[in-house]
Amino acid sequence: MSAGVGHAWPDVAFPEAAKDSLKDEQLRRNVRHATDVITTKRGRVTGELEDWQALRESGSAIRAHVLRNLDTYLVQFEQACTAAGGHVHWARDAAEANAIVLGLLEPKGAKEVLKIKSMTTEEIGLNRTLASHGIEAKETDLAELIIQLGKDKPSHIVVPALHKNRHQVREIFSREMGLKDLGDRPEDLTEAARQHLRERFLSVPVAISGANFLIAETGGVCIVESEGNGRMCLTLPDTLITIAGIEKVLPRFRDMEVFLQTLPRSATGERMNPYNSVWTGVHDGDGPREFHVILLDNGRSEILKDAEAQQTLKCIRCAACQNACPVYRQTGGHAYSSVYAGPIGAILTPQLYQLQRGSTLPYASSLCGACYEVCPVKINIPEVLIHLRGEVVREEQKTLKGKLGPWNLGMQAAAKIFMSGDRLELAQQLGRMGQKPFVGGDGFIHHLPMMMSGWTQSRDMAAMPKESFRQWWEKREKGAQA
């Protein structure tokens, strides 16, 4: 597999990218407000279900079962979809997926396609590929339309324009649509988007979608959404092309009874999505005349080989972990330099690209566990983060530069120190002596020099106490014996 093919984002290390995001006060206010609203709604609608934890357990068990039998269910899906009149294509990576799409569009002479919000097509850089071949991809999801017209990038899996407030959206629409008198009420903005898109819904003959779920039993594809644009794209065009990651498959139609309860509650704090569309193959007089499904690997098979990290593929893209993450809430999504931001992006991105990019993302977490607490399929993200940190370190230690790097030498020295009580006590004594010039009158260290400065860039550090626990315990025991 050609790792990274299709990714349109620059590979900037998270610490550097986060510094820029932290300077943007407006962005931080927008992200904080939006995640607060969604998190509050989520808490209300999950709290009203007595069997919420049982639903999480069921969702986790179904997704784990799928991953153990992925080959079987994918073949079953292909057979059922084909029998219903669909066409199934297999893509090893982004380049193959994009080539398949072009191979379907170019014989039709397509110059324009409609798109439903899809992180998978963002992952493979589909819009950029289409543009390079003279085909315009028109986003129909409101948030994606904001991103496209604003020449921006998505910052959230479910709400890609979460970092924009309505005043900023009004400026984008007014400029790009030529609407000088456009208001900034939500009704004004959605009406402008509706008028902008309506003619295209009726005239463009090809649409491209992602998928929330693939159903092996029936060969069906499911999309859940809130705006109705998806249903317009699924029903009006003559040709529909769906691009889905291979992990999206579910065994049975009835499995959706779990996910249609957990996904909307976790994603947007709704009891049910306003639009739940399931379609299977083609039917005379109803919907597209031609239907294609592209099953995308793009690194997922490699993730599946890792017993500890494969739970990453259980994700149903609800973004609850993003909304709950204290790191994401401060930096927003662009700091992750990936289509997938937040905790799930911190474990998914480096694995999709086999640590060739995103190697700093496993450290973009406080390991507080909030992401695990809200995950509707119980992905233990902190566990995977720690596992990936180990992988990153082992990769670095394969090179001379990594072996002689300050962090590796420091951690090796720390390991030696912690293996011996005497060495630990000596290190503590040296530390107390060395910290004296930096301890303030309040007992805290506010600034450390050179490579240690990172510890005090955004927080104060308590000074080492005059007496260690070991010393205190030893004195206590001697006092008890006396």
Side-chain angles (χ1 to χ4, degrees):
M1 192 201 77
S2 303
V5 170
H7 200 299
W9 295 55
D11 187 16
V12 181
F14 181 82
E16 282 69 39
K19 287 178 184 175
D20 292 336
S21 297
L22 291 172
K23 295 175 185 174
D24 191 336
E25 290 291 335
Q26 184 63 59
L27 179 146
R28 295 175 66 190
R29 279 196 295 272
N30 295 346
V31 172
R32 189 161 52 244
H33 171 71
T35 53
D36 280 346
V37 169
I38 298 172
T39 301
T40 301
K41 291 173 63 180
R42 177 201 168 275
R44 187 163 56 243
V45 296
T46 59
E48 65 189 20
L49 289 181
E50 292 182 359
D51 61 347
W52 176 248
Q53 294 305 324
L55 285 168
R56 290 181 70 209
E57 289 287 353
S58 295
S60 176
I62 292 170
R63 297 296 295 142
H65 171 77
V66 166
L67 296 181
R68 289 193 300 271
N69 302 278
L70 190 58
D71 53 347
T72 299
Y73 289 123
L74 285 173
V75 171
Q76 185 181 358
F77 171 82
E78 180 184 32
Q79 292 171 344
C81 182
T82 303
H87 304 273
V88 177
H89 310 260
W90 300 78
R92 284 175 294 186
D93 56 26
E96 283 195 3
N98 287 329
I100 292 169
V101 174
L102 288 172
L104 296 171
L105 295 180
E106 288 181 334
K108 300 178 185 299
K111 296 298 180 185
E112 191 175 20
V113 298
L114 298 175
K115 277 192 68 217
I116 310 170
K117 185 177 83 65
S118 163
M119 289 294 104
T120 307
T121 60
E122 293 278 357
E123 175 188 323
I124 64 175
L126 178 64
N127 286 12
R128 189 181 70 250
T129 299
L130 294 179
S132 68
H133 288 74
I135 302 172
E136 181 188 4
K138 177 61 70 176
E139 300 288 353
T140 62
D141 174 82
L142 179 59
E144 286 286 8
L145 180 63
I146 295 167
I147 295 297
Q148 187 174 47
L149 293 179
K151 300 175 179 57
D152 202 348
K153 293 176 180 174
S155 66
H156 191 274
I157 292 173
V158 174
V159 193
L162 175 139
H163 57 290
K164 296 290 187 187
N165 62 31
R166 59 192 172 97
H167 308 294
Q168 294 170 309
V169 174
R170 192 206 72 82
E171 292 177 8
I172 293 170
F173 279 10
S174 177
R175 181 182 67 243
E176 298 298 323
M177 298 180 184
L179 303 173
K180 294 181 180 178
D181 299 325
L182 179 64
D184 60 6
R185 298 180 306 159
E187 297 91 327
D188 300 327
L189 302 175
T190 52
E191 178 62 21
R194 185 177 293 115
Q195 294 300 325
H196 180 76
L197 292 170
R198 184 55 58 105
E199 180 61 29
R200 288 178 171 82
F201 280 129
L202 298 173
S203 61
V204 178
V206 181
I208 297 175
S209 81
N212 289 102
F213 305 108
L214 308 172
I215 306 163
E217 179 182 51
T218 64
V221 178
C222 174
I223 277 189
V224 300
E225 44 141 353
S226 300
E227 300 170 12
N229 65 298
R231 184 159 296 177
M232 299 277 275
C233 290
L234 301 176
T235 54
L236 293 177
D238 294 330
T239 301
L240 175 61
I241 302 170
T242 295
I243 305 173
I246 56 174
E247 80 280 14
K248 294 291 184 72
V249 69
L250 295 178
R252 304 167 303 174
F253 185 84
R254 67 170 300 179
D255 292 327
M256 289 199 299
E257 71 176 297
V258 174
F259 299 106
L260 293 185
Q261 293 184 76
T262 55
L263 177 55
R265 283 178 164 83
S266 300
T268 53
E270 297 173 294
R271 295 183 181 89
M272 178 172 277
N273 288 97
Y275 297 89
N276 298 276
S277 302
V278 182
W279 69 98
T280 306
V282 294
H283 305 274
D284 289 338
D286 183 18
R289 307 269 56 80
E290 190 175 328
F291 173 48
H292 298 267
V293 179
I294 300 173
L295 298 174
L296 176 71
D297 188 318
N298 207 34
R300 287 159 175 79
S301 292
E302 292 299 317
I303 299 175
L304 200 60
K305 295 176 182 176
D306 189 328
E308 291 187 63
Q310 67 171 228
Q311 59 179 309
T312 306
L313 298 177
K314 291 162 63 178
C315 180
I316 57 173
R317 306 288 191 270
C318 70
C321 61
Q322 286 184 267
N323 303 328
C325 178
V327 175
Y328 176 84
R329 286 165 58 87
Q330 292 297 322
T331 64
H334 292 163
Y336 292 78
S337 301
S338 170
V339 172
Y340 304 108
I344 189 63
I347 61 173
L348 180 58
T349 300
Q351 292 187 84
L352 284 177
Y353 300 100
Q354 300 166 32
L355 299 181
Q356 293 177 27
R357 59 180 303 151
S359 61
T360 58
L361 292 180
Y363 298 91
S365 169
S366 64
L367 300 179
C368 68
C371 48
Y372 180 45
E373 292 295 323
V374 299
C375 179
V377 290
K378 305 191 72 169
I379 301 172
N380 194 332
I381 292 179
E383 183 179 88
V384 181
L385 285 167
I386 292 171
H387 170 69
L388 291 177
R389 289 180 186 186
E391 292 292 319
V392 171
V393 169
R394 282 186 281 278
E395 284 297 314
E396 291 178 346
Q397 288 175 335
K398 290 178 181 178
T399 65
L400 183 61
K401 182 181 178 182
K403 287 180 180 176
L404 299 179
W407 280 110
N408 187 56
L409 292 177
M411 295 306 291
Q412 295 296 325
K416 294 288 185 185
I417 290 171
F418 283 117
M419 289 172 66
S420 163
D422 291 339
R423 286 198 288 265
L424 177 59
E425 188 167 340
L426 177 61
Q428 289 170 334
Q429 291 174 359
L430 295 174
R432 290 189 195 96
M433 294 170 58
Q435 72 177 359
K436 285 182 180 178
F438 307 106
V439 179
D442 57 359
F444 282 83
I445 297 172
H446 302 284
H447 172 70
L448 283 171
M450 303 175 68
M451 65 174 290
M452 294 185 294
S453 62
W455 287 98
T456 52
Q457 278 183 350
S458 58
R459 61 189 182 279
D460 299 328
M461 188 170 76
M464 294 177 64
K466 295 179 181 177
E467 186 178 61
S468 68
F469 175 80
R470 181 189 292 269
Q471 292 168 331
W472 172 83
W473 184 264
E474 189 174 3
K475 285 170 56 178
R476 177 180 178 277
E477 290 297 295
K478 287 180 179 177
Q481 292 175 3

